[in-house]
């Protein structure tokens, strides 16, 4: 219990640590909320005093006699409400500032994280954390925290008040309240753990939902159902289980609580009857008893609020933890003193790397050299480690062992800006962002003139794409504009890379775009891009690697063979076998195409 309280306090403190000097408004707001709760209680006190006066004076009730206390009751209500509004204004100032700071810190930190982080984190989860989780902490600080102070202060003040007015009835009420809450509190002991699991299940389901929506085209194409996405289905089942567990957990305690609450009046009436013979004034005791009976259920509802508040704190804690996970994610190692490469040989020695969530090394003890201007190709089985090697050269992740050098400088000592300046990548899953075609290409070099863009488009063989656009280069792509095919998108990405004109090119050859026209154009565009550059190529078609200066065959995270096409064919090893299979498949394809031609 102690430990949990400490954790709760520290979460509030940690949240406030993001508010700078504005955090003090939270404390002021909390204090004002406590004051407002006490002031509002005076409304009840004066209503009671007025009612008591009226009942005791009955039937000679005079307005003049009742008016002062009635006015005090009304004033207490108005002043209490005004103080509460001031409290909320203070907590909102601080909550908005903290949410803004958390979002800014989160976004800034994301910019420092290795690109590889985004593969593992899931964009759905990141969006939810930065938007919804931070929104939750804002709601907590702005509303629930001041209400929580009120919720704690009110029952304490009420119990004191009940004792002050009539200690015997006060004692009776106190016993009644404890009797109502005891079973509830005992049974709900583990609700916090359940809540934590519920929040995790909700998070996992939201994350998978985004991946599911992304995969809808695939599901539709293959006539699948939601069951094609087993992970999503599993997260829905887990969520269902957690919701049902939470509801079941509440069932008995809530029934008991409500039943005991309903019986409280009986308990008080019996207690009151027991006290009657000893009362100095029967009428006064009866009037007090009526008030206690009417007031007590309200008091219980106030205490109930405290219970809900602890859940709200739990939710805020989990939301903050999600934000902290982003803020604590390890950025790439940043050198204190950076060096700028002036030549562009790439040299990898003894490179070993394991993905954060991986169980084995994705690449192990990989060494190779690509001299400036050379083309080095990686071929081999799927999952062998080709993309990982290229990701490491691009600094998506830090290598665990060994080093990668560009122009003799370890890439860990090259600034991110220099890395991005000197390297272009064209990967298979290239994306164009919403904007004009010109903006998309100019991303490669924002200062390029229209002529330079046009030249790049010409070299990337994109003229036919531009020609069919309704507004030429100014045509908007993406939602609300035109959509380009996968092959066309890749050619535009190549144009972008040509415009960037960086000395190192990382290429992942397209396999998805099999229409022969696009494929041919892409090959020619890639050849233009690769001219006079240091090129690292992941090749899926062996025909494209024949002219590479060196081909590395990758398998199981290791380089298993290296050499030129001729060397490797002469070795008659893995590559030669792959090449023979490839040529056989290619001949078969040609034969099938020829047959199709004859039949047509
Ligand atoms: P290739 O490009 O040769 O197909 P990869 O480099 O993509 O191979 O993958 C090498 C190994 O690393 C595989 O076992 C793959 O499952 C694993 N891997 C790739 N990406 C990730 C990732 N983001 N997280 C964990 N493991 C990964």
């Amino acid at each position: 219990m102690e430990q949990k309280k400490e954790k709760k306090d520290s979460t509030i403190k940690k949240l406030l640590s993001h508010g700078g000097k504005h955090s003090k408004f939270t404390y002021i707001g909390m204090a004002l909320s406590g004051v407002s709760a006490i002031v509002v209680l005076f409304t009840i006190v004066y209503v009671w005093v007025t009612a008591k006066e009226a009942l005791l004076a009955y039937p000679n009730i005079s307005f003049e006699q009742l008016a002062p206390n009635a006015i005090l009751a009304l004033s207490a209500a108005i002043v209490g409400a005004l103080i509460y509004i001031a409290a909320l204004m203070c907590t909102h100032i601080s909550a908005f500032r903290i949410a803004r700071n958390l979002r800014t810190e989160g976004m800034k930190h994301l910019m420092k994280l290795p690109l590889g982080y985004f593969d593992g984190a899931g964009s759905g989860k990141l969006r939810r954390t930065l938007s919804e989780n931070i929104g939750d902490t804002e709601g907590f600080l702005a509303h629930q925290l001041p209400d929580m102070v009120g919720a704690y202060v009110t029952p304490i003040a009420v119990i004191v008040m009940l004792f002050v007015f009539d200690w015997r009835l006060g004692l009776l009420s106190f016993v009644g309240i404890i009797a109502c809450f005891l079973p509830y509190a005992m049974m709900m002991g583990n609700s916090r753990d359940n809540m934590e699991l519920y929040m995790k299940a909700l998070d996992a389901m939201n994350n998978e939902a985004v991946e599911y929506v992304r995969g809808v085209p695939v599901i539709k194409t293959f006539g699948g159902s939601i069951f094609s996405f087993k992970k999503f289905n599993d997260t829905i089942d887990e969520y269902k289980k957690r919701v049902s567990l939470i509801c079941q957990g509440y069932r008995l305690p809530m029934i008991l609580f409500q039943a005991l609450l309903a019986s409280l009046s009986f308990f008080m009436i019996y207690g009151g009857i027991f006290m009657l013979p000893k009362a100095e004034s029967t009428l006064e005791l009866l009037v007090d008893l009526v008030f206690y009976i009417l007031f007590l259920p309200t008091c219980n509802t106030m205490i109930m609020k405290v219970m809900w508040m602890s859940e709200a704190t739990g939710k805020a804690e989990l939301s903050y933890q999600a934000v902290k996970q982003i803020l604590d994610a390890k950025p790439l190692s940043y050198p204190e003193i950076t060096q700028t490469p002036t030549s562009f040989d790439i040299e990898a020695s003894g490179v070993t790397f394991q993905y954060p969530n991986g169980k084995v090394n994705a690449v192990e003890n990989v060494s190779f050299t690509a001299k400036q201007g050379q083309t080095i190709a990686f071929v081999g089985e799927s999952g062998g480690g080709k993309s990982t090697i290229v990701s490491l050269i691009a600094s998506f992740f830090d290598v665990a062992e060994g080093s990668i050098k560009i122009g003799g400088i370890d890439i860990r000592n090259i600034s991110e800006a220099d890395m991005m300046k000197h390297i272009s990548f064209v990967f298979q899953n290239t994306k164009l962002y919403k904007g004009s075609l010109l903006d998309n290409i100019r991303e490669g070099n924002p200062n390029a003139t229209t002529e330079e863009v046009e030249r790049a488009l010409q070299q990337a063989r994109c003229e036919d794409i531009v020609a069919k656009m309704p507004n030429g280069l100014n045509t908007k792509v993406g939602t609300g504009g035109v959509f380009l095919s996968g092959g066309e998108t890749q050619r535009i990405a190549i144009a972008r890379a040509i415009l960037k004109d960086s000395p190192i090119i990382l290429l992942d050859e397209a396999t998805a775009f099999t229409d022969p026209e696009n494929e041919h154009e892409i090959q020619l565009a890639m050849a233009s891009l690769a001219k006079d550059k240091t090129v690292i190529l992941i090749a899926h078609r062996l025909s494209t690697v024949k002219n590479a200066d060196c081909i590395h065959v990758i398998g199981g995270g290791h380089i298993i063979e290296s050499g030129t096409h001729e060397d490797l064919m002469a070795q008659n090893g893995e590559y030669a076998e792959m090449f023979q299979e490839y040529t056989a498949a290619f001949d078969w394809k040609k034969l099938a195409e020829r047959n199709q031609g004859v039949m047509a």
Side-chain angles (χ1 to χ4, degrees):
M1 185 70 196
E2 271 305 303
Q3 204 182 359
K4 278 184 179 172
K5 183 160 189 316
E6 197 183 29
K7 199 173 157 200
K8 180 164 76 185
D9 285 346
S10 64
T11 302
I12 295 171
K13 273 198 194 130
K14 278 184 203 157
L15 272 171
L16 293 182
S17 72
H18 295 272
K21 62 181 181 351
H22 287 83
S23 298
K24 65 174 179 288
F25 284 104
T26 300
Y27 293 116
I28 298 174
M30 284 165 75
L32 286 176
S33 172
V35 172
S36 146
I38 293 174
V39 172
V40 167
L41 270 187
F42 278 94
T43 314
I44 300 167
V45 173
Y46 285 114
V47 166
W48 180 39
V49 173
T50 315
K52 198 171 167 181
E53 274 177 352
L55 284 171
L56 292 177
Y58 185 81
N60 304 317
I61 306 169
S62 77
F63 177 75
E64 287 74 23
Q65 189 195 352
L66 300 186
N69 283 327
I71 290 171
L72 280 175
L74 183 66
S75 313
I78 294 172
V79 173
L82 289 176
I83 298 177
Y84 183 65
I85 291 173
L88 284 189
M89 281 168 77
C90 289
T91 52
H92 272 81
I93 292 175
S94 165
F96 284 149
R97 182 59 61 130
I98 290 169
R100 194 198 75 169
N101 288 354
L102 278 177
R103 287 201 175 101
T104 322
E105 282 172 42
M107 292 304 289
K108 277 189 181 158
H109 192 72
L110 278 182
M111 298 305 284
K112 288 188 213 150
L113 294 179
L115 285 174
Y117 171 84
F118 298 90
D119 283 347
S123 54
K125 190 171 173 184
L126 287 179
R127 184 201 60 78
R128 192 174 126 74
T129 303
L130 288 176
S131 138
E132 289 169 32
N133 287 145
I134 294 184
D136 287 345
T137 63
E138 180 191 308
F140 172 72
L141 289 173
H143 291 277
Q144 286 147 353
L145 195 56
D147 284 353
M148 196 155 78
V149 176
Y152 277 115
V153 166
T154 309
I156 296 171
V158 166
I159 289 169
V160 170
M161 196 178 89
L162 292 178
F163 271 97
V164 168
F165 290 140
D166 187 325
W167 71 267
R168 290 155 309 169
L169 285 176
L171 189 65
L172 205 59
S173 319
F174 189 64
V175 173
I177 292 172
I178 301 286
C180 284
F181 274 99
L182 212 56
Y184 182 87
M186 279 163 67
M187 287 182 182
M188 293 310 294
N190 64 346
S191 71
R192 194 191 178 88
D193 298 341
N194 276 341
M195 195 65 186
E196 199 164 329
L197 292 169
Y198 160 81
M199 289 290 289
K200 280 191 181 143
L202 179 66
D203 205 37
M205 185 176 71
N206 277 334
N207 207 19
E208 285 305 322
V210 175
E211 302 306 322
Y212 174 73
V213 171
R214 285 202 186 125
V216 162
V218 182
I219 299 177
K220 284 196 162 211
T221 314
F222 293 101
S225 66
I226 187 170
F227 294 101
S228 326
F229 270 62
K230 191 172 173 311
K231 263 169 89 186
F232 184 31
N233 198 41
D234 288 348
T235 56
I236 294 175
D237 285 344
E238 175 67 13
Y239 178 73
K240 205 165 69 182
K241 189 174 124 196
R242 289 293 149 207
V243 172
S244 136
L245 274 178
I246 286 196
C247 292
Q248 281 169 19
Y250 273 113
R251 200 170 45 186
L252 195 59
M254 263 327 242
I255 291 173
L256 269 178
F257 174 72
Q258 294 294 346
L260 288 169
L261 192 64
S263 329
L264 203 57
S265 348
F266 287 102
F267 175 71
M268 292 299 291
I269 289 171
Y270 277 113
I273 291 172
F274 187 70
M275 284 157 62
L276 265 182
K278 291 174 202 151
E280 283 166 27
S281 154
T282 311
L283 183 60
E284 199 165 333
L285 180 72
L286 282 178
V287 170
D288 284 354
L289 190 62
V290 169
F291 172 75
Y292 275 69
I293 289 172
L294 290 178
F295 187 62
L296 266 190
T298 335
C299 183
N300 271 7
T301 321
M302 290 173 198
I303 301 180
M304 199 67 200
K305 245 174 143 182
V306 176
M307 303 272 183
W308 295 126
M309 289 298 159
S310 69
E311 287 198 7
T313 316
K315 202 171 161 201
E317 253 175 52
L318 292 174
S319 294
Y320 183 64
Q321 276 168 22
V323 182
K324 271 301 269 181
Q325 262 179 15
I326 295 183
L327 294 177
D328 291 345
K330 196 169 162 266
L332 276 177
S333 53
Y334 276 100
E336 281 179 11
I337 303 166
T338 54
Q339 289 171 278
T340 305
T342 46
S343 62
F344 300 98
D345 293 352
I346 299 175
E347 193 190 341
S349 46
V351 170
T352 298
F353 173 75
Q354 185 174 0
Y355 284 97
N357 54 348
K359 292 197 174 56
V360 291
N361 286 336
V363 291
E364 202 167 279
N365 199 18
V366 167
S367 303
F368 62 89
T369 308
K371 291 267 169 231
Q372 185 166 347
Q374 279 189 339
T375 294
I376 300 297
F378 288 96
V379 298
E381 62 185 29
S382 178
K386 304 181 290 293
S387 309
T388 307
I389 293 174
V390 171
S391 304
L392 290 171
I393 299 173
S395 258
F396 282 15
F397 305 96
D398 273 336
V399 298
E401 281 169 41
S403 66
I404 299 176
K405 290 180 180 164
I406 293 180
I409 303 169
D410 192 316
I411 55 173
R412 283 168 289 200
N413 294 328
I414 301 176
S415 72
E416 193 190 358
D418 264 342
M419 284 295 284
M420 292 302 141
K421 189 166 129 204
H422 296 310
I423 298 183
S424 295
F425 18 81
V426 180
F427 290 156
Q428 290 201 40
N429 56 353
T430 308
K431 298 248 180 336
L432 296 182
Y433 64 81
K434 209 176 150 192
S436 74
L437 207 51
L438 185 64
D439 292 342
N440 266 287
I441 300 164
R442 268 214 182 119
E443 189 71 2
N445 175 4
N447 302 322
T449 60
T450 313
E451 288 72 41
E452 282 167 330
V453 172
E454 277 166 359
R455 205 172 321 126
L457 282 166
Q458 195 184 4
Q459 285 168 8
R461 327 255 324 162
C462 293
E463 287 146 309
D464 59 320
I465 304 174
V466 182
K468 58 181 188 195
M469 293 287 145
N471 293 322
L473 273 176
N474 294 319
T475 308
K476 295 258 177 275
V477 290
T479 325
V482 296
F483 284 92
L484 273 67
S485 75
E488 288 169 340
T489 305
Q490 186 136 27
R491 274 149 68 193
I492 295 291
I494 295 174
R496 182 156 68 187
I498 290 178
L499 195 64
K500 185 170 170 186
D501 196 25
S502 62
I504 298 171
I505 311 280
L506 307 179
L507 277 181
D508 189 351
E509 190 185 55
T511 50
F513 319 115
T514 44
D515 65 296
E517 198 179 317
N518 249 322
E519 193 181 317
H520 179 64
E521 295 295 337
I522 290 172
Q523 295 301 337
L524 293 175
M526 282 197 172
S528 303
L529 174 63
K531 210 159 163 268
D532 304 325
K533 313 278 190 218
T534 312
V535 179
I536 307 290
L537 167 71
I538 299 177
H540 302 279
R541 275 180 211 82
L542 296 186
S543 57
T544 51
V545 302
K546 267 170 119 178
N547 298 327
D549 296 287
C550 187
I551 304 164
H552 298 286
V553 183
I554 304 286
H558 296 91
I559 295 185
I560 39 184
E561 277 174 22
S562 297
T564 59
H565 172 74
E566 288 73 25
D567 295 341
L568 292 173
M569 288 306 283
Q571 271 185 36
N572 209 13
E574 196 85 18
Y575 178 81
E577 195 181 321
M578 277 164 59
F579 195 79
Q580 271 145 21
E581 274 172 24
Y582 174 76
T583 350
F586 192 69
D587 286 347
W588 180 85
K589 199 172 147 199
K590 271 208 299 206
L591 186 70
E593 273 168 12
R594 201 169 333 126
N595 285 348
Q596 235 176 13
V598 171
M599 280 164 75

